[in-house]
Amino acid sequence: MERAAKGQFSTFSSFISTINQKKEAAGNRCSPTQLVIPNNKNVRDLPPICLDVRQKQRISIDTLPAEMKAPILPEPPIPVRNKTLKDFQIDLDKAKSTGEWKAVHDFYLTTFDSFLELNAAFKRDANASLNTVEDSRINTKFLNTVYDALLTTTQDIQKTVLKGIINSLLREWKGPRTKDDLRAYFILTQNPQFGNTSTYVIYAHLLRQIAALSDADHNLLIHWFKKMSQKRLNNWWSDSYLIHLLASFPAKPEEFPPLTNGTWWIPSATRCSRLLDAANTLCAPPLIPYTDFYNSTLDHIDLMEDYQTWQFYGNTHRFSFCQYPFVISIPAKKVIIQRDSEQQMISIARQSLVDKVSRRQKPDMNMLFLNIKVRRLQLVSDSLDELTRKRADLKKKLKVTFVGEAGLDLGGLTKEWFLLLIRQIFHPDYGMFTYHKDSNFHWFSSFKCDNYSEFRLVGTLMGLAVYNSITLDIRFPPCCYKKLLSPPVVPCDQNIPVGIASVTLEDLYQIMPELAHGLNELLTYEGNVEEDFYSTFQVFQEEFGVIKSYNLKPGGDKIPVTNQNRKEYVQLYVDFLLNKSIYKQFSAFYYGFHSVCSSNALMLLRPEEVEILVCGSPELDLYALQKNTHYEGYQKTDLTIRYFWDVVLGFPLDLQKKFLHFTTGSDRVPVGGMVDLNFKISKNETSTNWLPTAHTCFNQLCLPPYKTKKELKLKLTIAISNSEGFGLQ
């Protein structure tokens, strides 16, 4: 709201009542002041929007049908306006120095009088017949100068601009919008006056009309928005976000229409935000981080009803936030997934109980859980056998028992099982995954084998972790999670390939940066590629000491790589490494993950968000943990507690991770941050000769009242460095 004029706009209705009043004398000398707009209870509503607009989960230009791409719309002749940027700047400088604003006033009055006048002022080659998708044909430099100057002009000029916008929006529209109409909408969205809440009634109606445009019109706007500067794109998103915020939680309800008359505000703002998200996604790299699109107000709303509405109605005219998952934050999505998982767990457990009773068998509590019993020395084989044998129970609540140990699983044993199993499976000697030191990521081994069940086990483990809200220390590259959502729901037809994502050289850089760099050198090489590299469309890989060759395309061994086809060669090379060569391994992994997480909630997630749900955050903020710790038997000012935090905050990173693992069963930070750990330190009224103990099920540390910092550091270091195994006193 700082972008608006310096004073405060008042509300909207008195301004409406003064729109047709006689304008002040053209020669009236006045200094720049702020626009004043009073009460809006009798404001005329604009024509209703068409509710048949088909909503999409995410707009992608590539997914639009051909007939919806860049239609050539008829454009009426535009009046000729000869005002240039230089002319406008001269008039503006003169007005500021003399106080004579007539020329500037006349320019704004004419320019914002109608959509045609907007095109006449800002459209390059106003009557040219050039039709392209990418180019809006707007004189961006001129437009930015006019808007930057607007908030420094007089109150009368600012009122004139808003009056022109209102009149344009109130016009009755017949037939489809022309390209010039879309260009006018595009110009108006960048108006800095909309950064002030007092203009939001006008702004909401602008968004309402944009939201009601056809998919083909939206397609054009998306391409134009991606050409906007980061500043302008950010400003429009901020204005749309504040529309939602103020409509949901108005500070002064009297400044906005009654809720019954403004139910379209939030849907319109959200639908328009979708265009921004799509435009931002098309930029490489994106101008705005995807997390900036999160609407934090939704974190305080129960979205389960919205999620169920979306499941029932899909992407129809019935509005739900789940149609637009880019506005839902990862903590809110985690709540949806957890609640959805709990409902599935209850449903599966209820069905098991009904089946047991129908067969006249005595029910027992164990039937309500996925009970995994494993031996530490045969951890992988036992886990694989148990999960294979109990595949029908995967969606029940997980409980783990280590044979020969007396620990009761209230969450801690489950965390231990995940940790040890992942550690063994990803060990280089196990051969399932290759660790790339230059990227610090694991990737699937391309070695062929007879049985891919262990890859399915890893996928099942990841699914169980998400399903049971456990974070794992798995180092997969981002493209792994992109493949995991390709598609996000398992297709009914088993012949449809799964786990095949659109991959680029950037994806390869994340895993094998040295190889990717070499391929990039090939793309930029200025000499004769065919003669100097002498390569063909083949890939050579070593498998168990034997070099094998694979054609990247039919007859690839006979097709030389040239300057003309090297882009195709690089793309096929990347696709082979990240898709085709590991298809069987990854498809087993994919089916294992989705055998547990077969939920529509996955359709709400971006690949980056799946990674956060699986792995949590690797960044440890122990100061945040200290701030949110609860105490039992201690006060935070007690000497032992002060010693404790001095020691822990002074630990190197590896010991801090061991400490977090010792107390919580995982060295990863959950999605909601340290606050979600509900960490507690309890006073252990035992001899100070004892080591600290922990209840990982409850994220609780039991700390004896050590008298010195040296003693506390020694005992705590010993405890956290020897933290495997469970027992009962």
Side-chain angles (χ1 to χ4, degrees):
M1 292 183 284
E2 293 296 326
R3 295 184 290 104
K6 297 173 185 174
Q8 276 294 321
F9 288 107
S10 73
T11 48
F12 182 54
S13 75
S14 307
F15 174 51
I16 295 291
S17 67
T18 63
I19 277 182
N20 295 316
Q21 289 180 2
K22 184 176 180 180
K23 297 182 179 62
E24 295 179 17
N28 183 33
R29 301 171 65 89
C30 57
S31 59
T33 55
Q34 185 56 34
L35 177 61
V36 178
I37 314 180
N39 220 324
N40 66 331
K41 295 188 178 169
N42 299 312
V43 177
R44 174 187 167 191
D45 204 2
L46 292 183
I49 64 170
C50 172
L51 293 178
D52 294 335
V53 179
R54 180 173 176 266
Q55 300 304 321
K56 295 180 180 60
Q57 187 114 287
R58 292 190 181 96
I59 285 191
S60 170
I61 303 307
D62 297 330
T63 61
L64 286 173
E67 64 271 13
M68 290 168 50
K69 295 185 179 180
I72 300 176
L73 304 174
E75 300 181 5
I78 295 174
V80 177
R81 297 286 178 255
N82 297 319
K83 179 81 73 172
T84 65
L85 172 59
K86 183 177 180 181
D87 296 335
F88 174 78
Q89 195 66 59
I90 291 172
D91 290 343
L92 185 66
D93 292 341
K94 181 180 178 181
K96 289 181 177 179
S97 61
T98 65
E100 177 56 62
W101 291 87
K102 182 179 185 306
V104 176
H105 179 278
D106 290 346
F107 171 78
Y108 279 106
L109 173 66
T110 302
T111 299
F112 287 89
D113 180 64
S114 67
F115 281 10
L116 279 180
E117 290 291 349
L118 283 171
N119 279 273
F122 300 117
K123 183 179 176 182
R124 299 192 314 269
D125 302 321
N127 285 301
S129 59
L130 179 66
N131 283 284
T132 64
V133 174
E134 298 289 338
D135 186 11
S136 65
R137 293 167 57 194
I138 289 175
N139 188 334
T140 304
K141 189 174 182 180
F142 190 15
L143 176 64
N144 290 344
T145 302
V146 169
Y147 272 148
D148 290 341
L150 179 58
L151 297 184
T152 67
T153 61
T154 65
Q155 176 185 8
D156 188 47
I157 292 175
Q158 294 185 49
K159 290 171 64 176
T160 297
V161 170
L162 290 177
K163 172 192 171 182
I165 295 174
I166 292 170
N167 286 338
S168 297
L169 296 178
L170 285 173
R171 286 191 176 91
E172 296 292 339
W173 292 96
K174 296 180 180 179
R177 303 292 196 269
T178 67
K179 210 169 184 179
D180 285 333
D181 296 332
L182 303 182
R183 196 173 288 109
Y185 283 130
F186 178 65
I187 292 170
L188 292 180
T189 59
Q190 302 176 57
N191 189 334
Q193 291 175 294
F194 295 142
N196 190 289
T197 56
S198 298
T199 64
Y200 274 12
V201 174
I202 308 173
Y203 186 51
H205 282 88
L206 172 63
L207 296 183
R208 188 185 197 186
Q209 291 194 8
I210 293 175
L213 294 172
S214 69
D215 287 327
D217 294 339
H218 284 161
N219 174 40
L220 277 175
L221 288 174
I222 287 168
H223 278 282
W224 294 351
F225 285 137
K226 78 175 184 179
K227 299 291 186 180
M228 287 172 63
S229 68
Q230 183 174 5
K231 175 185 174 183
R232 301 286 177 184
L233 206 62
N234 261 315
N235 289 344
W236 191 32
W237 162 244
S238 299
D239 295 342
S240 301
Y241 171 72
L242 287 173
I243 279 270
H244 183 286
L245 177 64
L246 293 173
S248 302
F249 309 104
K252 297 178 180 179
E254 67 275 6
E255 291 188 359
F256 296 94
L259 188 60
T260 54
N261 295 336
T263 53
W264 48 269
W265 276 45
I266 291 175
S268 296
T270 306
R271 286 166 181 154
C272 289
S273 299
R274 179 190 58 174
L275 306 182
L276 281 182
D277 175 67
N280 188 57
T281 302
L282 291 177
C283 297
L287 296 178
I288 304 175
Y290 72 91
T291 53
D292 286 2
F293 285 97
Y294 288 161
N295 188 335
S296 58
T297 61
L298 301 181
D299 296 350
H300 308 285
I301 299 173
D302 185 1
L303 288 174
M304 280 310 293
E305 183 178 350
D306 184 272
Y307 173 68
Q308 290 161 359
T309 298
W310 173 66
Q311 283 191 299
F312 185 78
Y313 290 100
N315 295 327
T316 63
H317 66 272
R318 179 74 175 265
F319 174 79
S320 67
F321 287 110
C322 290
Q323 292 173 324
Y324 312 93
F326 63 91
V327 301
I328 305 176
S329 69
I330 184 64
K333 289 175 182 174
K334 181 185 177 184
V335 171
I336 292 175
I337 290 172
Q338 284 180 331
R339 296 272 296 275
D340 188 55
S341 298
E342 290 168 1
Q343 290 175 1
Q344 291 187 50
M345 288 178 183
I346 292 171
S347 176
I348 295 294
R350 183 185 293 117
Q351 187 60 48
S352 296
L353 183 62
V354 170
D355 291 344
K356 202 87 168 176
V357 172
S358 65
R359 292 196 298 266
R360 300 183 181 276
Q361 296 176 348
K362 184 179 180 180
D364 62 89
M365 288 299 295
N366 286 329
M367 62 179 288
L368 304 179
F369 298 93
L370 169 59
N371 295 287
I372 302 294
K373 293 184 179 181
V374 293
R375 297 165 292 178
R376 286 186 182 271
L377 295 179
Q378 285 81 32
L379 191 63
V380 175
S381 59
D382 284 0
S383 300
L384 181 59
D385 290 342
E386 286 281 88
L387 292 175
T388 303
R389 190 163 51 87
K390 299 177 179 178
R391 187 173 297 176
D393 296 334
L394 290 178
K395 292 198 172 187
K396 295 180 181 178
K397 180 70 175 175
L398 178 62
K399 287 184 70 173
V400 175
T401 302
F402 285 98
V403 176
E405 298 184 21
L408 297 177
D409 188 12
L410 297 176
L413 283 162
T414 295
K415 296 176 185 177
E416 175 85 353
W417 176 68
F418 275 114
L419 181 74
L420 297 178
L421 197 53
I422 291 299
R423 186 184 300 170
Q424 287 193 30
I425 288 174
F426 282 86
H427 194 281
D429 293 343
Y430 210 73
M432 289 179 63
F433 298 93
T434 302
Y435 181 68
H436 296 273
K437 293 182 180 179
D438 47 355
S439 64
N440 294 321
F441 282 127
H442 287 98
W443 191 241
F444 295 77
S445 170
S446 60
F447 292 169
K448 304 297 184 290
C449 58
D450 296 328
N451 190 348
Y452 296 95
S453 58
E454 291 186 347
F455 287 99
R456 186 178 181 107
L457 169 63
V458 180
T460 303
L461 284 176
M462 277 184 53
L464 286 171
V466 173
Y467 196 69
N468 290 272
S469 303
I470 304 292
T471 55
L472 302 177
D473 186 13
I474 292 181
R475 293 180 176 86
F476 279 137
C479 73
C480 173
Y481 301 97
K482 180 162 61 173
K483 288 166 64 67
L484 203 56
L485 294 180
S486 301
V489 176
V490 178
C492 297
D493 186 353
Q494 295 295 316
N495 295 320
I496 296 178
V498 296
I500 300 292
S502 175
V503 290
T504 65
L505 192 58
E506 289 300 317
D507 294 312
L508 188 63
Y509 259 113
Q510 295 170 345
I511 310 169
M512 309 169 196
E514 188 174 340
L515 174 58
H517 177 74
L519 291 174
N520 190 58
E521 289 290 313
L522 173 65
L523 290 174
T524 57
Y525 185 67
E526 295 181 356
N528 189 309
V529 171
E530 182 177 3
E531 292 181 0
D532 296 345
F533 285 84
Y534 201 68
S535 297
T536 59
F537 275 67
Q538 277 185 305
V539 173
F540 297 91
Q541 287 189 333
E542 181 181 349
E543 297 181 13
F544 303 108
V546 178
I547 302 296
K548 292 188 176 182
S549 63
Y550 298 92
N551 287 345
L552 295 177
K553 59 190 299 187
D557 57 327
K558 296 181 177 61
I559 303 175
V561 179
T562 66
N563 292 65
Q564 290 72 36
N565 64 18
R566 56 185 171 180
K567 287 185 179 180
E568 180 190 10
Y569 169 77
V570 169
Q571 182 55 43
L572 290 174
Y573 199 136
V574 173
D575 183 64
F576 176 82
L577 291 177
L578 303 186
N579 281 326
K580 293 180 180 176
S581 67
I582 59 164
Y583 177 74
K584 291 184 178 179
Q585 294 88 326
F586 197 91
S587 61
F589 173 80
Y590 173 94
Y591 282 117
F593 179 82
H594 287 273
S595 66
V596 186
C597 290
S598 55
S599 168
N600 287 333
L602 286 181
M603 298 174 68
L604 305 178
L605 298 174
R606 299 172 57 94
E608 301 92 333
E609 293 169 333
V610 177
E611 181 178 9
I612 293 173
L613 282 177
V614 172
C615 304
S617 171
E619 298 179 6
L620 303 185
D621 184 0
L622 292 186
Y623 289 97
L625 182 65
Q626 179 186 18
K627 183 179 178 181
N628 293 283
T629 295
H630 306 284
Y631 299 95
E632 188 177 83
Y634 283 118
Q635 299 292 328
K636 64 180 179 179
T637 56
D638 288 347
L639 191 60
T640 301
I641 296 300
R642 296 210 304 270
Y643 286 158
F644 170 79
W645 287 114
D646 286 346
V647 168
V648 171
L649 295 174
F651 274 157
L653 181 60
D654 62 326
L655 281 182
Q656 287 183 345
K657 286 191 171 186
K658 285 184 177 181
F659 162 74
L660 194 64
H661 169 244
F662 174 71
T663 52
T664 69
S666 172
D667 63 359
R668 312 289 287 189
V669 181
V671 171
M674 291 295 190
V675 179
D676 276 7
L677 285 177
N678 293 316
F679 183 62
K680 179 190 288 187
I681 299 178
S682 300
K683 191 171 186 178
N684 193 353
E685 298 285 2
T686 59
S687 169
T688 54
N689 293 326
W690 284 57
L691 297 176
T693 57
H695 301 295
T696 55
C697 305
F698 310 109
N699 300 331
Q700 180 179 5
L701 175 68
C702 300
L703 187 68
Y706 299 114
K707 302 300 182 185
T708 66
K709 184 191 293 187
K710 182 178 179 181
E711 182 184 20
L712 189 150
K713 182 176 182 179
L714 175 64
K715 298 292 176 61
L716 183 61
T717 304
I718 294 173
I720 66 177
S721 300
N722 300 272
S723 58
E724 274 190 19
F726 286 79
L728 294 176
Q729 296 180 5

